[in-house]
């Protein structure tokens, strides 16, 4: 069984981060260890969320794991609650990389042109250092703009997506940069990526299905990581994750869910597992 460790918060209500990553990774057959960065009453899109940061616990967990000689096949970071937690993640990547795990960074810090509440304007520069230690990064367009210094645009063409990807190369990520929630085609959305070893651009898109739901970035990243951990190649992992995310959104729309409560991903899991097994992993 592949071993994954994920570094992100536990939002007690409003499905995202660990409450999404853990069930999905387990269902996909990955043994998953967690480094919880913070406990929040809800994610930060609900007003008045209480955030209890676990900064002091993180190095203690990591030191204990080091003393036990634990190693992982994939290290996956998501929402980190402060600059010092990003620095911790950089150290963790360094200390747990001697078996060359796949290091996947979702630089969850912004959306729709704005940083999430609670982050200062200096946060993206520290996140850029974590991206430098990653094999694959998966920013949305807002995060990519903040990491690259290119101005965020709501409407854009393929040249803009390529410019953003090229501007992210100097960060130093090793294998691939994947822009999420983008498409150069009208009425569609998906991923647009750059394979850093072959220098090839690639994309995958599907229909854009209306209102966005909170936590779908975490659903997408978790399924991508689960598929990669099982040995599926990157592009197939991304299309599987994108299709799964769309099914979750459609199921949620048909139930008229509040977008802040996240998507109904649970009933879609059997379909995901069927596709994984059809892909032979
Ligand atoms: O889904 C990203 C995310 C994760 N965790 C927390 C958040 C957010 C986005 O707002 O607030 C606590």
């Amino acid at each position: 069984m592949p071993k994954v460790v994920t570094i992100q918060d536990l939002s007690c209500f409003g499905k995202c981060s660990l409450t999404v990553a853990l069930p999905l990774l387990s269902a996909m057959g990955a043994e998953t260890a967690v480094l919880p960065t913070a406990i929040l009453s809800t994610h930060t899109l609900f007003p008045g969320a209480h955030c209890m940061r676990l900064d002091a616990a993180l190095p203690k967990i990591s030191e204990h794991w080091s003393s036990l000689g634990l190693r992982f096949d994939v290290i996956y970071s998501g929402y980190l609650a402060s600059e010092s937690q990003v620095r911790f993640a950089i150290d963790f990547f360094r200390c747990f990389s001697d078996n060359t795990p796949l290091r996947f960074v979702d630089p969850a810090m912004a959306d729709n042109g704005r940083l999430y509440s609670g982050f200062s304007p200096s946060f993206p520069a520290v996140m850029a250092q974590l991206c430098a230690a990653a094999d694959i990064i998966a920013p949305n367009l807002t995060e990519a703009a903040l990491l690259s210094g290119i101005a965020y645009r709501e409407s854009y063409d393929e040249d803009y997506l390529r410019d953003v990807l090229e501007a992210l190369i100097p960060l130093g990520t090793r294998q691939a940069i994947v822009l999420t929630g983008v498409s150069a085609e009208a009425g569609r959305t998906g991923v647009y990526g750059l394979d850093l070893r072959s220098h090839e651009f690639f994309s995958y898109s599907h229909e854009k299905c209306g209102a966005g739901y909170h936590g779908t970035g975490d659903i997408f990243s978790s399924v991508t990581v689960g598929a990669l951990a099982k040995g599926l190649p990157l592009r197939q992992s991304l299309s599987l994750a994108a299709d799964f995310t769309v099914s979750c959104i459609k199921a949620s729309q048909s139930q008229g869910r509040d977008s802040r409560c996240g998507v109904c991903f649970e009933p879609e899991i059997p379909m995901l597992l069927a596709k994984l097994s059809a892909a032979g992993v």
Side-chain angles (χ1 to χ4, degrees), residues 78-91:
Y79 181 95
L80 302 169
S82 64
E83 291 178 19
S84 65
Q85 293 196 352
V86 183
R87 291 196 191 90
F88 163 81
I90 295 168
D91 277 351

PDB file of all heavy atoms in Angstrom, residues 78-91:
ATOM      1  N   GLY A  78      -1.146  21.066   1.851  1.00  0.00           N
ATOM      2  CA  GLY A  78      -2.297  21.886   1.464  1.00  0.00           C
ATOM      3  C   GLY A  78      -2.279  23.178   2.259  1.00  0.00           C
ATOM      4  O   GLY A  78      -1.230  23.809   2.401  1.00  0.00           O
ATOM      5  N   TYR A  79      -3.434  23.536   2.823  1.00  0.00           N
ATOM      6  CA  TYR A  79      -3.567  24.814   3.542  1.00  0.00           C
ATOM      7  C   TYR A  79      -2.638  24.843   4.751  1.00  0.00           C
ATOM      8  O   TYR A  79      -2.726  23.993   5.638  1.00  0.00           O
ATOM      9  CB  TYR A  79      -5.020  24.956   3.989  1.00  0.00           C
ATOM     10  CG  TYR A  79      -5.346  26.232   4.728  1.00  0.00           C
ATOM     11  CD1 TYR A  79      -5.870  27.332   4.053  1.00  0.00           C
ATOM     12  CD2 TYR A  79      -5.155  26.329   6.103  1.00  0.00           C
ATOM     13  CE1 TYR A  79      -6.203  28.492   4.731  1.00  0.00           C
ATOM     14  CE2 TYR A  79      -5.485  27.487   6.795  1.00  0.00           C
ATOM     15  CZ  TYR A  79      -6.003  28.567   6.100  1.00  0.00           C
ATOM     16  OH  TYR A  79      -6.332  29.715   6.771  1.00  0.00           O
ATOM     17  N   LEU A  80      -1.774  25.823   4.781  1.00  0.00           N
ATOM     18  CA  LEU A  80      -0.857  26.015   5.906  1.00  0.00           C
ATOM     19  C   LEU A  80      -1.235  27.348   6.540  1.00  0.00           C
ATOM     20  O   LEU A  80      -1.440  28.338   5.839  1.00  0.00           O
ATOM     21  CB  LEU A  80       0.595  26.003   5.412  1.00  0.00           C
ATOM     22  CG  LEU A  80       0.970  24.698   4.678  1.00  0.00           C
ATOM     23  CD1 LEU A  80       2.316  24.829   3.967  1.00  0.00           C
ATOM     24  CD2 LEU A  80       0.997  23.531   5.648  1.00  0.00           C
ATOM     25  N   ALA A  81      -1.332  27.358   7.876  1.00  0.00           N
ATOM     26  CA  ALA A  81      -2.016  28.474   8.524  1.00  0.00           C
ATOM     27  C   ALA A  81      -1.138  29.685   8.811  1.00  0.00           C
ATOM     28  O   ALA A  81      -1.644  30.692   9.306  1.00  0.00           O
ATOM     29  CB  ALA A  81      -2.675  27.978   9.816  1.00  0.00           C
ATOM     30  N   SER A  82       0.166  29.622   8.532  1.00  0.00           N
ATOM     31  CA  SER A  82       1.030  30.777   8.816  1.00  0.00           C
ATOM     32  C   SER A  82       2.347  30.611   8.057  1.00  0.00           C
ATOM     33  O   SER A  82       2.674  29.514   7.590  1.00  0.00           O
ATOM     34  CB  SER A  82       1.346  30.851  10.318  1.00  0.00           C
ATOM     35  OG  SER A  82       2.098  29.705  10.676  1.00  0.00           O
ATOM     36  N   GLU A  83       3.111  31.696   7.994  1.00  0.00           N
ATOM     37  CA  GLU A  83       4.421  31.615   7.328  1.00  0.00           C
ATOM     38  C   GLU A  83       5.327  30.634   8.062  1.00  0.00           C
ATOM     39  O   GLU A  83       6.105  29.911   7.446  1.00  0.00           O
ATOM     40  CB  GLU A  83       5.068  33.004   7.267  1.00  0.00           C
ATOM     41  CG  GLU A  83       4.310  33.904   6.305  1.00  0.00           C
ATOM     42  CD  GLU A  83       4.851  35.320   6.226  1.00  0.00           C
ATOM     43  OE1 GLU A  83       6.003  35.564   6.624  1.00  0.00           O
ATOM     44  OE2 GLU A  83       4.090  36.193   5.758  1.00  0.00           O
ATOM     45  N   SER A  84       5.241  30.593   9.388  1.00  0.00           N
ATOM     46  CA  SER A  84       6.129  29.669  10.109  1.00  0.00           C
ATOM     47  C   SER A  84       5.752  28.221   9.802  1.00  0.00           C
ATOM     48  O   SER A  84       6.608  27.343   9.755  1.00  0.00           O
ATOM     49  CB  SER A  84       6.166  29.956  11.613  1.00  0.00           C
ATOM     50  OG  SER A  84       4.904  29.715  12.148  1.00  0.00           O
ATOM     51  N   GLN A  85       4.467  27.965   9.519  1.00  0.00           N
ATOM     52  CA  GLN A  85       4.092  26.594   9.137  1.00  0.00           C
ATOM     53  C   GLN A  85       4.612  26.240   7.744  1.00  0.00           C
ATOM     54  O   GLN A  85       4.937  25.089   7.475  1.00  0.00           O
ATOM     55  CB  GLN A  85       2.568  26.441   9.179  1.00  0.00           C
ATOM     56  CG  GLN A  85       2.033  26.541  10.598  1.00  0.00           C
ATOM     57  CD  GLN A  85       0.627  26.029  10.747  1.00  0.00           C
ATOM     58  OE1 GLN A  85      -0.048  25.725   9.767  1.00  0.00           O
ATOM     59  NE2 GLN A  85       0.173  25.944  11.978  1.00  0.00           N
ATOM     60  N   VAL A  86       4.685  27.232   6.864  1.00  0.00           N
ATOM     61  CA  VAL A  86       5.268  26.952   5.544  1.00  0.00           C
ATOM     62  C   VAL A  86       6.750  26.619   5.731  1.00  0.00           C
ATOM     63  O   VAL A  86       7.272  25.677   5.120  1.00  0.00           O
ATOM     64  CB  VAL A  86       5.094  28.139   4.576  1.00  0.00           C
ATOM     65  CG1 VAL A  86       5.651  27.786   3.203  1.00  0.00           C
ATOM     66  CG2 VAL A  86       3.627  28.532   4.457  1.00  0.00           C
ATOM     67  N   ARG A  87       7.422  27.353   6.627  1.00  0.00           N
ATOM     68  CA  ARG A  87       8.850  27.058   6.887  1.00  0.00           C
ATOM     69  C   ARG A  87       9.004  25.666   7.489  1.00  0.00           C
ATOM     70  O   ARG A  87       9.917  24.930   7.153  1.00  0.00           O
ATOM     71  CB  ARG A  87       9.460  28.111   7.811  1.00  0.00           C
ATOM     72  CG  ARG A  87       9.580  29.445   7.113  1.00  0.00           C
ATOM     73  CD  ARG A  87      10.512  30.419   7.829  1.00  0.00           C
ATOM     74  NE  ARG A  87      10.344  31.719   7.219  1.00  0.00           N
ATOM     75  CZ  ARG A  87       9.460  32.631   7.634  1.00  0.00           C
ATOM     76  NH1 ARG A  87       8.729  32.427   8.712  1.00  0.00           N
ATOM     77  NH2 ARG A  87       9.336  33.778   6.987  1.00  0.00           N
ATOM     78  N   PHE A  88       8.066  25.294   8.357  1.00  0.00           N
ATOM     79  CA  PHE A  88       8.097  23.942   8.918  1.00  0.00           C
ATOM     80  C   PHE A  88       7.971  22.919   7.772  1.00  0.00           C
ATOM     81  O   PHE A  88       8.695  21.922   7.728  1.00  0.00           O
ATOM     82  CB  PHE A  88       6.959  23.726   9.937  1.00  0.00           C
ATOM     83  CG  PHE A  88       6.726  22.268  10.208  1.00  0.00           C
ATOM     84  CD1 PHE A  88       7.550  21.579  11.098  1.00  0.00           C
ATOM     85  CD2 PHE A  88       5.736  21.560   9.534  1.00  0.00           C
ATOM     86  CE1 PHE A  88       7.386  20.212  11.303  1.00  0.00           C
ATOM     87  CE2 PHE A  88       5.572  20.196   9.729  1.00  0.00           C
ATOM     88  CZ  PHE A  88       6.390  19.528  10.616  1.00  0.00           C
ATOM     89  N   ALA A  89       7.032  23.160   6.849  1.00  0.00           N
ATOM     90  CA  ALA A  89       6.823  22.207   5.743  1.00  0.00           C
ATOM     91  C   ALA A  89       8.094  22.082   4.901  1.00  0.00           C
ATOM     92  O   ALA A  89       8.459  20.986   4.471  1.00  0.00           O
ATOM     93  CB  ALA A  89       5.640  22.645   4.885  1.00  0.00           C
ATOM     94  N   ILE A  90       8.792  23.200   4.694  1.00  0.00           N
ATOM     95  CA  ILE A  90      10.047  23.151   3.922  1.00  0.00           C
ATOM     96  C   ILE A  90      11.050  22.239   4.639  1.00  0.00           C
ATOM     97  O   ILE A  90      11.689  21.385   4.025  1.00  0.00           O
ATOM     98  CB  ILE A  90      10.626  24.574   3.718  1.00  0.00           C
ATOM     99  CG1 ILE A  90       9.665  25.407   2.850  1.00  0.00           C
ATOM    100  CG2 ILE A  90      12.028  24.519   3.113  1.00  0.00           C
ATOM    101  CD1 ILE A  90       9.979  26.899   2.811  1.00  0.00           C
ATOM    102  N   ASP A  91      11.178  22.391   5.958  1.00  0.00           N
ATOM    103  CA  ASP A  91      12.080  21.540   6.752  1.00  0.00           C
ATOM    104  C   ASP A  91      11.645  20.082   6.685  1.00  0.00           C
ATOM    105  O   ASP A  91      12.471  19.186   6.554  1.00  0.00           O
ATOM    106  CB  ASP A  91      12.044  21.949   8.240  1.00  0.00           C
ATOM    107  CG  ASP A  91      12.957  23.115   8.489  1.00  0.00           C
ATOM    108  OD1 ASP A  91      13.711  23.480   7.577  1.00  0.00           O
ATOM    109  OD2 ASP A  91      12.873  23.671   9.617  1.00  0.00           O
TER     110      ASP A  91
END
